[in-house]
Amino acid sequence: MEQNKQETLQAIKQTVVFNAPIQKVWNAVATSEGIAAWFMPNDFKQEIGYEFHLEAGPFGKSPCKVTELEPPSRLAFEWGKDWTLTFELTDLEGKTEFTLIHSGWDADKVTEFGQPHSAVREVMSQGWEGLKKALAAYVEA
């Protein structure tokens, strides 16, 4: 029953509508070239179980693994030792609703770099706001 003691922090969930067709947004969030354009350099491949790395700058290579793949509407991958990133896309007749879910937060855990999840979650939440703008600029160009 040790599991119940852990305080789970709410997933970061952000939704935005892009003025771009779903296939263009899918290519931006589910191809290596697309992900590199707005997020981080990587060696991603669209393949369930595929293990890849995000080049996290000063934090080095972050290991990831594709866990869900439903083109062009859903992609999920494990990121580092605790997190899961999920991208959900909905076709809105020429526009695309994009939802990002960053889950796996736990108040009792620290990152690979010794930082408490609770502190990193706040930084990441703000970081995703900026990344959504970068993604919007990329897909709406």
Side-chain angles (χ1 to χ4, degrees):
M1 288 297 199
E2 285 295 302
Q3 290 285 329
N4 294 345
K5 284 185 181 174
Q6 293 180 340
E7 184 189 341
T8 303
L9 300 168
Q10 196 170 2
I12 296 169
K13 185 173 182 178
Q14 299 181 357
T15 300
V16 63
V17 174
F18 295 126
N19 189 17
I22 193 168
Q23 193 61 50
K24 187 172 186 183
V25 178
W26 176 256
N27 289 343
V29 301
T31 65
S32 178
E33 183 184 333
I35 294 167
W38 65 276
F39 188 27
M40 290 183 209
N42 63 88
D43 56 354
F44 171 86
K45 284 195 178 126
Q46 277 190 39
E47 188 181 306
I48 289 284
Y50 185 76
E51 295 184 15
F52 66 102
H53 289 86
L54 289 171
E55 300 279 349
F59 297 106
K61 289 185 174 208
S62 205
C64 301
K65 182 178 177 179
V66 179
T67 55
E68 291 182 61
L69 185 64
E70 297 170 28
S73 57
R74 188 175 173 90
L75 167 68
F77 58 88
E78 294 170 357
W79 181 17
K81 66 181 180 67
D82 297 321
W83 297 327
T84 298
L85 270 187
T86 305
F87 301 148
E88 296 176 341
L89 289 72
T90 305
D91 191 348
L92 301 177
E93 297 176 15
K95 294 185 179 188
T96 305
E97 182 181 83
F98 173 75
T99 300
L100 174 144
I101 304 162
H102 185 169
S103 59
W105 301 100
D106 186 325
D108 295 337
K109 289 187 179 176
V110 295
T111 67
E112 291 89 329
F113 307 101
Q115 301 158 302
H117 274 210
S118 50
V120 176
R121 187 192 176 284
E122 283 313 303
V123 172
M124 290 295 246
S125 185
Q126 291 167 12
W128 285 120
E129 288 294 337
L131 284 167
K132 281 191 315 194
K133 290 183 177 108
L135 178 55
Y138 181 67
V139 299
E140 293 178 351

